[in-house]
Amino acid sequence: MVATTVPPPRKRSRLRQHATPYLHLAPALLAIVLTTVYPLVSALITSFRHWRLNETREAGEFVGLQQYERVFTDGTFGNSAWVTLQFTVISVVLSVGLGLGIALVLNNRTRLSALTKALLILPFAVAPALKGFSWRFMLNPDTGVYDQMVDTILPFADDINWLGDPFWALMVIALTEVWGWAPLIALMLLGGLGSISPEVRDAVRVDGANAWQEFWRVTLPLLRPLLLVVVFLKAVFSVKIFDQVVTTTGGGPGRATETLNFFAYSQGFTFLDIGYASAVSWVIVVVLGVLATLYLFAMAKQEAK
């Protein structure tokens, strides 16, 4: 009869302590694998195969890098990349600029500042698809409240077709993002402004600096690390814009608002070219990965300070 060795109670207790955190994380890790890792790996494999749903229900022959070569020679993809770049620059500049302005105003404590800060989170809490539907309705040339307000204040804007003109359609989608993100960015920057020592401001004022000089020489340099983090974070979310495009313009007029995510969606679900859509999606993943890496690097650099 072979004797079995049983770990002493102290060793079993240590094993249980080491295993407990991983057991607690197991459901979350499983969810990440099923909803993120598996779709990414599946899309990567599909991107190397020819697969059109109107031809077959299963992935076809292996075509190597042919789909990726098509991505970088496709003029419509280039247009979507250019639209996404324009949208990203506009939304980041306006969101960060307006958020900084709001933060500077609310940094001066008043009776209503606490209530205002609490209300700032509400626009960001609105679902992106709902923002798109709301702005589309409010800019309707016949019944839209925004359209009527602008036409009353600026009569020369009466002939503008907000969602039918390529320039204004892209601006409208950018403004839907600014409306939601600027208040959130203001809250983030308010935390940075609160960390600036009052003694530093007092010293600058004693030296005779005015409000603009105080902002340019003290406030902005001290906020620069946080601003860098905010810019990268907003850029990541801008590149993957999708909901407002679908619900506001549908990529139109023409292809004026067809962003990268909407382009990948249309290739897969409109033209049924799953292989090509997978390749486009992985190009987007790489771009987002680069931006996310820069964002994490900026955060780590700020925390190190």
Side-chain angles (χ1 to χ4, degrees), residues 95 122-124 126 131 135 146 174-183:
S95 297
L122 293 180
F124 185 76
V126 177
K131 284 191 289 186
W135 278 71
Y146 279 2
L175 289 175
T176 64
E177 276 284 278
V178 174
W179 180 79
W181 271 89

Side-chain angles (χ1 to χ4, degrees), residues 37-168:
V37 177
Y38 173 74
L40 283 174
V41 173
S42 177
L44 180 62
I45 296 172
T46 304
S47 69
F48 296 109
R49 304 176 74 90
H50 174 78
W51 186 11
R52 295 185 66 97
L53 282 178
N54 57 342
E55 297 175 358
T56 177
R57 294 185 179 182
E58 297 180 356
E61 61 181 356
F62 179 79
V63 294
L65 296 175
Q66 190 177 55
Q67 306 279 21
Y68 291 94
E69 292 175 2
R70 180 183 168 190
V71 168
F72 294 106
T73 57
D74 188 351
T76 54
F77 174 83
N79 172 76
S80 299
W82 174 239
V83 170
T84 304
L85 178 62
Q86 291 181 82
F87 169 81
T88 300
V89 172
I90 294 171
S91 63
V92 168
V93 171
L94 292 181
S95 297
V96 176
L98 185 58
L100 178 59
I102 295 172
L104 292 172
V105 171
L106 294 181
N107 194 43
N108 300 319
R109 295 183 179 180
T110 63
R111 294 180 180 179
L112 295 177
S113 60
L115 176 62
T116 306
K117 292 175 185 178
L119 294 175
L120 283 177
I121 197 63
L122 293 180
F124 185 76
V126 177
L130 180 58
K131 284 191 289 186
F133 275 121
S134 300
W135 278 71
R136 181 176 182 176
F137 175 76
M138 290 187 290
L139 287 172
N140 185 288
D142 297 322
T143 59
V145 62
Y146 279 2
D147 182 74
Q148 297 297 326
M149 289 170 58
V150 173
D151 292 347
T152 301
I153 299 172
L154 305 172
F156 61 85
D158 184 55
D159 296 331
I160 295 178
N161 186 351
W162 300 105
L163 300 180
D165 181 88
F167 171 79
W168 288 111

